[in-house]
Structure formats: C-alpha cells, structure tokens
Amino acid sequence: MSKNQAIPQKVEQLRKTLNDHNHCYYVLDEPSIPDAEYDRLFRELQSLEAEHPELITVASPTQRVGGMPAKEFSQVQHRVPMLSLANAFSEEDLQAFNKRVQDRLNYSEDIAYVCEPKLDGLAVSILYEEGKFVLAATRGDGATGEDITQNIRTIKSVPLQLRGNDYPKSLEVRGEVFMPKAGFDNLNATARAQDEKEFANPRNAAAGSLRQLNPQITASRPLEVFFYAVGYVADGDLPDNHFALLEKFHGWGLRTCPEIVLANNVEGCMRFYSSIQDKRNALPYEIDGVVYKVNKFTWQRKLGFVSRAPRWAIAHKFPAQEELTTLLAVEFQVGRTGALTPVARLEPVAVGGVTVSNATLHNMDEIARKDVRVTDTVIIRRAGDVIPEVVSVIKERRPQNTKIITLPTHCPVCESVVVKHDDEAVARCSGGLYCPAQRKEAIKHFSARKAFDIEGLGDKLVEQLVDSGLIHDVADIFHLTAEQVSNLERMGDKSAENLLVSIEKAKQTTLARFLYALGIREVGEATAKTLAEKLGCIEKIKRADEALLQSLPDIGPVVAENIVIFFQQAHNCDVINKLLDAGINWPVIEVKAAEDLPLIGQTVVLTGSMEALTRDQAKEQLQALGAKVSGSVSKKTSYVIAGSEAGSKLAKAEKLGVAVHNEAWLLELLGEK
Ligand code: IVH
C-alpha cells in the first residue's frame, strides 16, 4: 500500500479515536486519555485535513465550529410539535394528576413514572439522518423554531455521529441545552473583569449563547446538553417505554441526566421529589423542579394531549427562588474587619417558602453596577441556605424621585471615618476595636465553635454583654461573674452558672485555636495551625518577621504582612497578655529548634522527576527543615532542584542565574544518603 492510500484510513481512524474520547469525556464524564494526548491527536487530524481538504466531512470532530456568522436564523417547521408541560405545585396536585391518568386509562393499580429533573435551560430539537447530525432547532412557538444548527454543533456533548447501528434512519431527539453553574460563574467573572454586562442566571446565559449569529461565540460558552425525548422518527424501532428509550439514548452516545429514576407509583415520585430537592444545591446545574412521565408508550398514546401539553407528563415545580418586592431603605452593617456591607431593607416577601425582609447588596460597586435605588422594584433571590440577595432592578417600574444610594462618610455605629481604597470593592470603618460593631463581631468570632468554642455564648448574648458595658474586649469574658450575667435580660441563675462553667472550660485550648480566635485578617484555621505547628509558641509568632512567615507553607506576602501588623499594635498585645493572665493555656508544642531548621528563610523550587522521592515527599521534607517550596522560579528563589527531564523551570533558573542542584545533592541535604 502506498503512503497516500493510507491517508484516508488514517484520517478515519483518528476521527474514530477522537469521537470515542469525546464520548468518554463529554457524555460519560470519564476522561479516557490526558488532555495533552487528545490535543495531539486533534492537531494530527487537523493537519492531515489541511493537506487533504478533499477528505474533510461535516461530521469530523475538527468541524464543530465552521462557517461564517449568519445574518439571521432561518425557520424550521417541527414535524412533530414541541409541547410544553402542565405544572403541579403540591403533592395534592400530583395526586390529582395520577388520578386523572388512572381514570383515563381505566386502570386503578399503580402507574410507573419516569422521574427526571426539570432542567433550567432551553429545549432543542436535533435531527440525525442515518446517524449523522444534520439539523438543530429551537422550540420557538412549538410549531416553528429557528435553525441553530451551527451553534448546537459547537456543543461537545452533542454527538455529530451516533454510536452503534440500531438507531432509526431518521431520528429527531429533544433535550435541554443548559449552562452548568460553574461555567456560568466563570463567564460572569470574565464579564465583570472586562466591565461587560453580566447574565442574570444560567438560563439567560444559555439562551444568550444560543442566540448568537456567530457560532465562534457559542463555541466559547460552556454549554451542555441532556436528551429526554424523541420527536419525528422514521425507519426504525424504538422500545415500548420511556425508561428503555433513555437507555437506548445512552447507547447511541446521547447524554442523559444521571439522576433519572423509574418510580413504581406516585409515592415513588414524591420520594424522588424530596431527594432531588435535598440535592439541588449540590447539583452542578440548575433545575427548577422535576418532571414525571408515564413510562409506557402505549399509555402515553392513549392519554394524548390537551392544549399543547401532554396528559401523560407533569412538571412538579420547586417553590420559586426569585420574587419581586420594593426596596424600602439601605442600611450599612459593620463586620468584624470593619467592612461596611450595604443591606437592603425590603417590603417583606415570601421567596421559596420563607419570608425575606433583608437582602445583601454586597458592596458599593455592585450597587452602582446594578443601578439599585431606594423605592425601586427589585428581584430578590434566595438559593438554598445562601443569604438572600438583590439580583437586579426592574427599570420599567422605577418611580420618579428614586434615591441614589451613597456610601456613608462616617461609620453608622461609631462615627469613625469610613475608608475606601480605589482598588478595593469594600469600604471599611476605621474605628477598629473602638467600634462597638467590630468589637461585637470580634467577640462572636472569638467564642465561635472553631475558636474558643464557648458553649452558651451566642451572638445575642455577646451583643447584650457589649451593649451593657460588661465586656469591652475578649479578655473581659474571663472576668464575668455569675451575678453580672444573671442580671441580664432572659438570663436565669442556672444559665448564668452554665455559661461560667463553659467559660472556665474554654481556658484550656490549643495554640492554633487561640491564634485563629484572635481574628487576624486572613488568618483562617489552616494558617493558624501552620503557625502553631511551625513556630510553636506565641512569643516566636509575635517576633516573626515577614521573611520568616513567608518561609512557612502557604503563607504569602499579604498574610505575612497582616500578621506582622497585628502584633505591632500595642492594644492587640495587651489583650493577649490579659488573656494569658486570665489563665488561658494550651499544651506545649514540640517544635524543632532553629538549629534543626537549617533551611529557614530559603525558597526552593523542585522540577523534573526524582528517583528516590516523589515530588510531594521532597516538598514535605524540605518544609520540615524550614524551607519554603515554591512552584515558580524567580529572582528570590534560593535554588532549584532539578530531576531528570526538567524543562522550563530549569531554563528560567539558568537565565536568572539561580543555583541549580541535582537529586543527589538534595538527598545529602536531607541526610538520606
Ligand atoms: S419533556 C412533551 N423533560 O420544560 C414533554 N422537558 O415546561 C416535553 N424541560 O420545553 C418536554 N427538563 O424545555 C421535558 N426532563 C425534562 C425537562 C423538560 C426541562 C423543559 C423543556 C420544556 C419545558 C416544558
């Protein structure tokens, strides 16, 4: 066989391999090869096709994004109308639906239903002729939609060629195109960074992405699909029930939602509803309810349709998560670090079954971007256990004389000056611990579960204690008397006594908890633990300079600076001394003495592969000797340790004149040779 004869086969082989990998990656969610290998095969196919354009076919994986932007979408007549669904909002509605189904079928036993999440995206119809993707359309008015073939082609989970060989010759499948939550967040973050308009929700983002006349834009959007129905079918057999059809879909490479179950009866439907509702926030895509479909196709046909919705299916909606209401006023709340958060006071409204009268507006930049004003009609969203937020304003309903929201110049609690840096979204009260609001938050943080864990000292009590002047700083907690506490409103002798017992108990803590409780900016649990383990005692931590702090794992320049500044403040050191005097104590930590930390202050970069150690082992051991292990080479790098096949980092080290050592040198240093 001559070399040229082999090329068409080679091209076919590459396409098949790429399609198989695509199927694993996008449909089965189980990547079969590393991305780099996929890219290599893809480029190989691209270059063969460039040399032999006559071999290009529309179904080639290289041809997802093609053609010029269109001037407009042409119309597509649906051969089988695309219907909508009737809604149920309660268990009674669902029972009534089941009863109607039973009555029409004249069947009083259990009816089996397929239970599917109701995806919050857009319905699409896709036609496969002889297994090849040929046409895609929107739902439109149900009878006529728009031709969005070029856009749908760009969605990687839509196969351009069906798998297997038992699909009907003409097969129109229907499903939902949606944007996963993570993709939506990224898209909006990019829009924000470029000062562009953000999408209100993933559904709008998906709709906006499909409405693009330029398929290049659609291709750049993170769209996905789940298939859930058939439309027009010719020359081929389908199973006799919906659940089996979905299994067929899977075999043909058409992605189906993994949450779908077959319920034996309406009770099973209710169980599905509750379990999906519990899972809702954890799902990677938005859903707004569930859909139940009579499983047997003979029954579906018997039931038929009424006013453009099937009698054999119903959507059981979740309570709405978004509602309209009026913004009555905006107040500013002061947090632990002094950050001022604008909070919307609202005309109370029920959102998803809970009455909401406050919602966050995040910060001044958000207010400006959304152009929110007092007296506006606003959309409120409450998603799961997240704080309700103001999503947007209905500009059409804006009354005259709305009030523009301005940042107060002085703290609403302590009247200290409010400071806002241009490069930061947040404005802060400059009052520090002079500000009662900051003090209250600092004390709440101090007594919280992950910090001193003082049982019984909740938010309300902290506020009472600060307001009544009984405590001024965190150390005062340890000087409270039973008498003082029992005189507070809603506090009896017994609860006062219990509180004092838990305060006494809390004196015995750990250094990590103590550090975390101090509330140093950006020192969370993990950083507090690192400081405790690596430096071992509060005196060392107080004295540590930025270089030493930065040599510790995962402490960067910002956190290091925050720590140093915190301990430079005399009032912070006073509080620490007061706490220690009050009897706060923790078990002594064994830390290697400085002479056992020969690499303290040094920054090391590891590159290439080692023989005796894994990268992680080498990193851990270097850190144990005090070194900071960094991922990139800079002028600050003390030295690079290069294993075999070291690449760009080695080159960079050589360019910058940073010392380079080999694995043997490292082993000697670690004392293992
Ligand atoms: S079946 C004849 N299944 O809901 C039944 N629709 O309110 C046609 N939808 O236009 C639809 N998830 O966009 C079906 N699992 C699902 C669905 C679903 C979301 C959408 C679809 C449809 C709308 C009807």
Side-chain angles (χ1 to χ4, degrees), residues 81-87 115-124 139 174-177 203 226-230 242 257 260 287-293 300 305 308-310 312-315 317:
M82 286 183 81
L83 302 165
S84 61
L85 292 167
N87 290 324
C115 306
E116 307 180 1
K118 187 166 193 300
L119 307 153
D120 206 5
L122 290 103
V124 284
R139 174 165 176 264
R174 291 168 179 185
E176 199 85 349
V177 170
R203 193 192 130 80
F226 281 135
F227 293 98
Y228 50 59
V230 290
H242 184 59
C257 175
I260 295 176
I287 61 173
D288 58 354
V290 300
V291 183
Y292 311 117
K293 300 174 180 173
Q300 287 194 2
F305 306 88
R308 300 178 57 213
W312 44 263
I314 197 155
K317 302 288 279 281

Side-chain angles (χ1 to χ4, degrees), residues 363-572:
N363 56 52
M364 291 311 289
D365 288 357
E366 286 278 307
I367 292 180
R369 219 169 36 75
K370 293 175 181 160
D371 186 19
V372 185
R373 304 188 197 171
V374 174
T375 69
D376 263 339
T377 299
V378 289
I379 299 178
I380 303 301
R381 182 189 299 150
R382 193 185 70 90
D385 40 14
V386 187
I387 304 170
E389 60 168 353
V390 174
V391 181
S392 58
V393 172
I394 311 284
K395 292 269 171 63
E396 296 74 36
R397 298 214 197 160
R398 173 164 284 171
Q400 288 189 329
N401 307 325
T402 47
K403 213 173 107 213
I404 293 196
I405 301 157
T406 50
L407 181 69
T409 53
H410 290 80
C411 171
V413 179
C414 74
E415 294 183 359
S416 301
V417 172
V418 167
V419 187
K420 181 177 179 306
H421 295 292
D422 287 343
D423 56 344
E424 269 191 352
V426 281
R428 290 179 205 277
C429 156
S430 59
L433 290 178
Y434 165 77
C435 176
Q438 292 188 50
R439 238 184 300 138
K440 283 178 188 168
E441 294 308 313
I443 297 167
K444 288 177 195 171
H445 173 82
F446 183 89
S447 105
R449 203 171 43 82
K450 292 175 180 173
F452 266 72
D453 194 16
I454 307 179
E455 214 179 304
L457 186 53
D459 290 1
K460 282 268 166 330
L461 187 54
V462 169
E463 295 188 9
Q464 270 180 295
L465 288 165
V466 174
D467 289 339
S468 63
L470 285 178
I471 58 177
H472 208 77
D473 61 39
V474 292
D476 294 336
I477 296 173
F478 299 96
H479 299 288
L480 285 170
T481 66
E483 198 191 351
Q484 285 172 327
V485 178
S486 60
N487 281 338
L488 291 171
E489 233 176 89
R490 288 192 302 273
M491 276 303 260
D493 288 348
K494 186 72 197 148
S495 22
E497 206 180 291
N498 287 344
L499 179 66
L500 288 195
V501 171
S502 41
I503 291 176
E504 193 55 37
K505 214 172 92 195
K507 286 183 180 173
Q508 174 81 49
T509 185
T510 64
L511 177 57
R513 278 175 176 270
F514 180 82
L515 289 168
Y516 172 74
L518 294 177
I520 306 168
R521 274 268 264 296
E522 287 179 58
V523 175
E525 267 180 297
T527 308
K529 196 158 167 264
T530 304
L531 288 169
E533 278 171 6
K534 301 290 171 192
L535 301 175
C537 72
I538 188 77
E539 284 313 314
K540 248 197 207 151
I541 297 168
K542 269 186 179 172
R543 283 198 314 265
D545 62 11
E546 285 177 37
L548 170 59
L549 291 167
Q550 282 195 57
S551 74
L552 303 177
D554 298 321
I555 296 187
V558 177
V559 179
E561 190 188 351
N562 287 342
I563 297 169
V564 169
I565 292 178
F566 181 90
F567 290 107
Q568 276 169 357
Q569 312 302 308
H571 61 89
N572 288 334

Side-chain angles (χ1 to χ4, degrees), residues 58 182 361 417 473 556 578 623 633 648 672:
V58 279
L361 282 158
V417 172
D473 61 39
K578 264 173 84 178
Q623 284 172 342
V633 180
S648 61
E672 287 198 359

